[in-house]
Amino acid sequence: MPNPTPKAFQAWIDSFIAYLHNERGMSEHTQSNYQRQLSIIAEQLVSFGVEEWQHVDIAWVRQIAAKGAREGLKPNSLATRLSCLRSFLDYLVLKGELTANPAKGVSTPRNHKRLPKNLDVDETGQLLDIDMDDPLAIRDRAIMELMYGTGMRLSELIQLNIRDVQGDRGEIRVIGKGDKERIVPFSGEAMRWVQLWLKERPALLKAEDEALFISKRGTRISHRNVQKRLSEWGIKQGVSSHVTPHKLRHSFATHILESSGNLRAVQEMLGHESLSTTQVYTHLDFQHLAQAYDKAHPRAKKKSES
């Protein structure tokens, strides 16, 4: 069993985790990841002879990075560990325990992140060409139309309640990461199939449940159920690549950007805080998109020199 984290280190970790929960609204999964990574780092610092977080400087951060590399930690995993440390040390700066964050001067190489190949427009049409009377098939098409039509995350779709659908206004209320709310437009096939599903839903409902999408057991549908059903539909519809919820989100972003070049609008619909994150979801050249934005947006244009 791993050694318990020394009290001098654990007290600040606990304070930080409480901050992530209460102030940042981060998920239990994210909190658990921070807890695990910071506990490992604390054990390493103790082995180096460091007695408290306030003694950590850039040399010790480099030692942590070097130790992870020696132990065979993959670049992405090492980058995640240092990212957790940076966020934590930022918190100590916020609390006045450190004057500066020593981890900001240390970077690690990262593996190129492979993105799933998006479905092209024809493949998407092939996948969504489902026209059956089976209530579960109608539900599944509504799920896929909604994910492709709005770009929402799987976790966001699972959390949807009936009251979040505002069909008369062509909007849907989505709760994203950090419990941040956004309003996303939806219309056309997505709206049509959601409305068809709402007519079938009462027959499957076993008890009072606000969930928009329910399973055949009559309760809120699970992440695993959606993933499994999408994969099965991909095979049944003869789509050559494996169909996943994220692939539909990725396809939404790519297709909208290819046709409009409106990076800011897609950023807002996807629920991203920064443009660089939105760019990761596309196969398009970022500079081209940025130029399109700068050319189109009235406040992005530079004043001509006098």
Side-chain angles (χ1 to χ4, degrees):
M1 293 181 64
N3 296 324
T5 306
K7 289 183 179 179
F9 287 91
Q10 188 62 53
W12 277 111
I13 294 176
D14 291 344
S15 177
F16 178 61
I17 298 303
Y19 166 76
L20 295 181
H21 175 76
N22 298 325
E23 303 293 330
R24 300 287 301 278
M26 290 190 173
S27 68
E28 289 186 7
H29 177 70
T30 300
Q31 294 172 47
S32 177
N33 284 340
Y34 273 104
Q35 178 80 56
R36 183 173 60 255
Q37 294 293 344
L38 292 173
S39 294
I40 292 171
I41 292 169
E43 289 175 17
Q44 292 176 347
L45 289 170
V46 170
S47 72
F48 297 155
V50 180
E51 297 180 351
E52 55 186 20
W53 291 112
Q54 291 81 349
H55 293 168
V56 175
D57 58 20
I58 192 169
W60 291 125
V61 176
R62 285 176 175 150
Q63 285 271 45
I64 291 168
K67 184 174 178 61
R70 286 196 302 272
E71 292 175 349
L73 210 59
K74 292 181 179 179
N76 280 354
S77 298
L78 184 54
T80 297
R81 180 167 298 174
L82 289 184
S83 176
C84 289
L85 180 59
R86 282 189 205 98
S87 296
F88 174 69
L89 296 181
D90 272 340
Y91 174 71
L92 293 187
V93 172
L94 179 68
K95 290 296 182 179
E97 297 297 319
L98 292 173
T99 56
N101 186 341
K104 286 189 173 178
V106 180
S107 59
T108 56
R110 301 197 66 167
N111 287 335
H112 177 68
K113 185 177 181 180
R114 287 185 174 271
L115 290 169
K117 179 184 179 295
N118 63 285
L119 301 172
D120 62 32
V121 175
D122 290 338
E123 285 179 312
T124 306
Q126 183 178 335
L127 171 67
L128 297 176
D129 188 20
I130 301 167
D131 194 11
M132 300 180 182
D133 294 331
D134 173 22
L136 293 182
I138 293 172
R139 179 204 63 190
D140 292 348
R141 177 156 183 184
I143 286 174
M144 290 189 286
E145 291 281 5
L146 192 56
M147 296 195 81
Y148 175 61
T150 64
M152 70 176 62
R153 300 176 179 93
L154 173 58
S155 59
E156 295 168 346
L157 177 122
I158 297 299
Q159 294 180 68
L160 287 176
N161 293 320
I162 290 178
R163 66 175 180 271
D164 296 323
V165 179
Q166 300 165 3
D168 56 329
R169 288 156 54 178
E171 296 174 349
I172 193 160
R173 175 177 172 268
V174 176
I175 305 298
K177 290 184 177 180
D179 288 333
K180 291 183 178 178
E181 177 183 325
R182 68 183 188 277
I183 303 298
V184 178
F186 88 117
S187 58
E189 291 297 291
M191 181 181 289
R192 186 166 82 87
W193 282 91
V194 167
Q195 290 172 341
L196 287 172
W197 158 243
L198 286 173
K199 293 177 182 177
E200 301 290 339
R201 180 181 175 277
L204 291 175
L205 194 63
K206 298 291 192 299
E208 190 66 28
D209 199 316
E210 296 180 344
L212 175 59
F213 293 111
I214 58 176
S215 69
K216 63 182 179 181
R217 293 181 298 183
T219 56
R220 189 179 296 271
I221 199 167
S222 69
H223 292 69
R224 180 69 190 114
N225 196 345
V226 174
Q227 291 168 334
K228 181 172 179 288
R229 295 288 290 189
L230 263 61
S231 177
E232 290 173 349
W233 278 115
I235 295 169
K236 188 178 296 185
Q237 296 297 101
V239 178
S240 58
S241 58
H242 181 55
V243 176
T244 66
H246 182 65
K247 189 169 286 187
L248 287 179
R249 174 172 164 86
H250 183 56
S251 300
F252 162 83
T254 304
H255 296 167
I256 293 292
L257 283 166
E258 283 177 343
S259 60
S260 72
N262 194 331
L263 192 63
R264 293 287 186 184
V266 176
Q267 174 194 357
E268 189 171 336
M269 285 187 281
L270 289 176
H272 289 160
E273 290 190 0
S274 69
L275 278 175
S276 60
T277 307
T278 309
Q279 183 263 335
V280 170
Y281 281 83
T282 75
H283 296 300
L284 304 180
D285 178 69
F286 182 72
Q287 285 294 17
H288 170 72
L289 291 169
Q291 288 167 9
Y293 168 74
D294 290 341
K295 183 178 179 181
H297 197 287
R299 300 291 290 181
K301 297 176 182 177
K302 296 180 180 179
K303 292 182 180 179
S304 59
E305 295 182 3
S306 56

